[in-house]
Amino acid sequence: GRDSASQFSVIYKPVKNGPKGALYGVRGFPALNSIRYIGIGVINPPNNPQPQRLPMDVDNTISGEVWVNELRLVGVDDTPGWAYRVTTSLKLSDLGQMSFSYSKTDPFFHSLENRFGSREENSDLSAGASIGIEKLLPQSWNGTSLPISYQYAQRSKQPRYFPGTDVLVTSAVEQYKDRGLNGDSVLEASQTYSESHVFSMANIHFVLPSSSWYVDQTINRLSFGINYNKKYERNNLSRRRDEWGWGGRMGYDLSLTENFVQPFKSLFSGIPFLRDFKEYKLFYVPGKIQWNITANRDMVSDIPRTKSNPTLSSNFRASRSFGIGWRVSDGGLLNLNTSYALNIESLPTHLLYDSLDLRPHRKFELLPTTEITRKLFNHNGRLIDFGDDARYGQNITINTKPVVPNF
């Protein structure tokens, strides 16, 4: 059987319509779709009437023949299985698209390479939509990005039998109802059901139709991203499990004009072996400046079906990064190119709880997002309170492309 390795006891029952004294035994919870081999033999029982039975005693030796005429499996459930899938999509020109998919499989359906069904009724539903709002803006806003996407998914799994047994779920439900008990709770406990929602605006970027340098170098260089997800689930272990999380990002990316000087253009023009370097350029400002701020928060609550206490966990993480790219020189002997990146990860978990009490706020009732947002700014003497820094990371890269002069 599937768990015979951990089940050493054998339950014996008399063979129906069999000879007197014939028994059959069951170890663990066997299943026909898990059979690997069939063995047939004869056992000399330990209650042999010989008073002093030894393993090699000739008086206890038995001999004979075992004839196996036919093994036939009767009463097989050969119910035909079925499955179907529906998928469609709609494209709204360049504005966006929508999609829908639904599939269902009954417990008896199986593919050609498999011999048995899954013994579960499975259904999956998913729907999604995405739209680019920037397509509705005037042509003067070219370069603006305002994408919005939404995804919904629903999955359910109804087993035909209770896990690890050959007990039909429907039969158990009817027995509970006949006894005046709540059979629907038994049915719900055997199911696995989940549904999720995901909302995202991954890359928000505005390009205002302005020729002012302060608009082009500030607002037009900013980008944002937000996402929110929510999931509900129940199964044979959890009566209810809720998850939700959100994330936000703000970034700045500025590409500067490469300003340089050529100090040797006239000096090296008439010198042999050095005239190849007369176009040497020395860049005195970096070519790219970037910074990013991200924050992510999630929470998971679980109510188990056992008598264990409900659990609640929450995380809040933030990070800041800064980077520059600088082409130092070009057209010379070394031609240096360098970059620098700094990353700081923080844990502002103190914002989740009451500032006067470090214990969880009111029996796992964490502060709402609006209250956390209010405490995030101008708190503890900081313009933005990222909490205690947990990790620092720096990366310095120096590249060179040497050029050998022509002799």
Side-chain angles (χ1 to χ4, degrees):
R2 286 168 292 178
D3 56 350
S4 298
S6 60
Q7 299 286 337
F8 297 98
S9 60
V10 182
I11 300 176
Y12 290 97
K13 292 186 178 181
V15 178
K16 186 178 181 181
N17 300 326
K20 184 178 180 180
L23 301 173
Y24 72 91
V26 177
R27 182 192 298 272
F29 300 100
L32 289 176
N33 58 358
S34 298
I35 291 178
R36 296 296 178 266
Y37 72 92
I38 297 176
I40 299 175
V42 176
I43 297 178
N44 191 3
N47 57 352
N48 191 294
Q50 296 293 337
Q52 295 180 348
R53 180 176 182 268
L54 298 175
M56 300 300 296
D57 193 339
V58 179
D59 295 336
N60 291 327
T61 302
I62 62 174
S63 61
E65 296 180 353
V66 177
W67 288 64
V68 180
N69 182 27
E70 184 179 9
L71 290 177
R72 178 177 297 178
L73 184 63
V74 296
V76 177
D77 189 353
D78 56 354
T79 304
W82 53 265
Y84 64 87
R85 177 183 298 171
V86 178
T87 302
T88 183
S89 62
L90 174 65
K91 187 173 179 59
L92 306 174
S93 185
D94 294 334
L95 184 61
Q97 60 182 5
M98 303 173 64
S99 62
F100 174 83
S101 176
Y102 181 76
S103 63
K104 193 169 185 177
T105 306
D106 84 329
F108 305 100
F109 177 81
H110 62 86
S111 57
L112 294 177
E113 60 269 17
N114 296 324
R115 300 175 56 192
F116 304 97
S118 64
R119 295 160 51 110
E120 297 173 337
E121 182 179 275
N122 295 279
S123 64
D124 291 273
L125 183 149
S126 63
S130 61
I131 185 173
I133 300 181
E134 71 276 3
K135 302 297 182 181
L136 303 176
L137 298 177
Q139 184 66 27
S140 58
W141 290 68
N142 187 31
T144 299
S145 176
L146 284 173
I148 299 178
S149 65
Y150 171 77
Q151 295 288 331
Y152 173 78
Q154 182 187 101
R155 293 178 173 84
S156 65
K157 181 186 299 183
Q158 175 62 66
R160 179 172 170 82
Y161 302 93
F162 281 106
T165 70
D166 57 355
V167 179
L168 286 169
V169 174
T170 54
S171 300
V173 171
E174 293 300 326
Q175 292 179 10
Y176 267 73
K177 290 182 178 181
D178 293 340
R179 299 173 186 174
L181 302 176
N182 186 6
D184 294 335
S185 62
V186 178
L187 181 63
E188 183 190 38
S190 66
Q191 295 173 339
T192 298
Y193 175 84
S194 67
E195 62 178 35
S196 61
H197 307 262
V198 179
F199 170 81
S200 176
M201 298 183 69
N203 185 28
I204 305 173
H205 176 62
F206 293 97
V207 179
L208 301 182
S210 175
S211 58
S212 302
W213 68 268
Y214 53 86
V215 174
D216 181 64
Q217 303 299 316
T218 55
I219 298 177
N220 290 356
R221 306 295 176 173
L222 293 172
S223 62
F224 308 87
I226 58 175
N227 64 82
Y228 176 80
N229 61 84
K230 182 180 180 181
K231 183 178 180 180
Y232 161 75
E233 183 180 4
R234 70 171 187 269
N235 50 48
N236 60 333
L237 299 178
S238 299
R239 187 182 304 275
R240 182 183 182 95
R241 180 183 176 89
D242 293 282
E243 303 177 17
W244 63 263
W246 58 261
R249 179 189 62 83
M250 179 180 180
Y252 180 80
D253 191 340
L254 176 63
S255 296
L256 298 173
T257 302
E258 294 183 326
N259 296 310
F260 58 88
V261 294
Q262 293 179 295
F264 308 118
K265 188 169 185 178
S266 59
L267 181 62
F268 289 171
S269 59
I271 303 176
F273 309 119
L274 295 179
R275 64 170 61 102
D276 292 339
F277 300 132
K278 66 179 182 179
E279 299 296 333
Y280 175 76
K281 299 177 182 178
L282 182 64
F283 299 87
Y284 54 88
V285 294
K288 181 178 284 292
I289 299 177
Q290 295 176 315
W291 57 260
N292 284 277
I293 299 175
T294 62
N296 296 275
R297 187 189 176 196
D298 59 75
M299 188 170 69
V300 179
S301 63
D302 183 51
I303 303 176
R305 294 193 180 274
T306 60
K307 295 182 179 180
S308 304
N309 294 326
T311 60
L312 180 67
S313 62
S314 180
N315 295 295
F316 196 7
R317 300 172 299 277
S319 66
R320 293 154 285 166
S321 63
F322 171 78
I324 61 173
W326 197 333
R327 184 166 65 160
V328 180
S329 62
D330 185 42
L333 180 63
L334 296 179
N335 303 319
L336 297 176
N337 194 341
T338 182
S339 64
Y340 171 77
L342 170 66
N343 187 67
I344 304 174
E345 297 182 9
S346 306
L347 298 175
T349 51
H350 64 287
L351 301 177
L352 303 178
Y353 308 110
D354 195 311
S355 60
L356 301 178
D357 189 351
L358 296 180
R359 294 173 300 176
H361 184 71
R362 296 182 182 178
K363 297 181 180 180
F364 298 112
E365 293 182 3
L366 302 177
L367 294 176
T369 301
T370 53
E371 179 66 16
I372 295 174
T373 305
R374 186 187 65 81
K375 294 172 61 178
L376 180 63
F377 299 97
N378 196 22
H379 185 252
N380 289 337
R382 303 175 180 176
L383 179 61
I384 302 178
D385 190 1
F386 290 100
D388 297 329
D389 296 338
R391 180 182 299 177
Y392 295 91
Q394 296 185 82
N395 184 37
I396 300 176
T397 303
I398 299 177
N399 297 318
T400 179
K401 294 181 179 180
V403 175
V404 179
N406 296 321
F407 294 98

